[in-house]
Amino acid sequence: MKFLLTLALAAIAALSMAQAPCCQGEKKASAEDPFLKMAREMEMKAEGKKECCRSTEAKKIVSGEDGCCNAKGEPAKFKVFVAGAGYKYFGCEDSAAEGRKTLLAKGARVGKVQKVNSKVAI
């Protein structure tokens, strides 16, 4: 009888410790996170560089460097047709949409953002 009671108390203790918020490892967003992100973007703009979409808080990746989706030699995943010039290739959908807007602003006739079906490097 004592063994069953001890086993039940141990199980309850284990369950209560498993539900503790300090042990779950989830990081809560602080109020400083948007400010730090904006400061990092301003720092990159001051240097004349643009941050890649694959950048994290721990590691900054400049657009066009190794590890960035638009780096030379990386596989292209999206394309935009430009009249008179052919296709322009991009590594991620956001950069393809931004490139399309830039081409439109220059006065080029461009098509929609499309997925790449073949193996093409940027």
Side-chain angles (χ1 to χ4, degrees), residues 64-85:
E65 281 187 355
D66 289 341
C68 183
C69 59
N70 287 329
K72 292 195 184 245
E74 290 286 321
K77 296 180 182 165
F78 294 92
K79 62 185 177 181
V80 175
F81 183 76
V82 182

Side-chain angles (χ1 to χ4, degrees), residues 4-114:
L4 290 175
L5 184 59
T6 305
L7 186 63
L9 287 174
I12 291 172
L15 285 174
S16 67
M17 290 187 76
Q19 294 178 356
C22 66
C23 301
Q24 291 179 352
E26 291 184 28
K27 181 182 174 187
K28 294 183 180 177
S30 68
E32 295 178 351
D33 286 345
F35 174 75
L36 292 175
K37 183 178 179 184
M38 184 176 61
R40 190 169 55 239
E41 288 174 3
M42 289 174 63
E43 177 186 350
M44 296 288 281
K45 283 183 183 178
E47 295 174 1
K49 300 176 182 175
K50 186 175 178 188
E51 191 172 353
C52 181
C53 59
R54 289 188 182 173
S55 293
T56 62
E57 292 179 23
K59 184 177 179 185
K60 289 193 290 187
I61 300 174
V62 177
S63 184
E65 281 187 355
D66 289 341
C68 183
C69 59
N70 287 329
K72 292 195 184 245
E74 290 286 321
K77 296 180 182 165
F78 294 92
K79 62 185 177 181
V80 175
F81 183 76
V82 182
Y87 283 102
K88 299 285 183 183
Y89 295 96
F90 301 93
C92 60
E93 191 171 11
D94 293 338
S95 63
E98 185 177 321
R100 183 180 183 278
K101 286 179 185 177
T102 305
L103 290 166
L104 278 172
K106 289 181 180 178
R109 292 186 358 201
V110 296
K112 296 180 182 178
V113 175
Q114 305 169 18

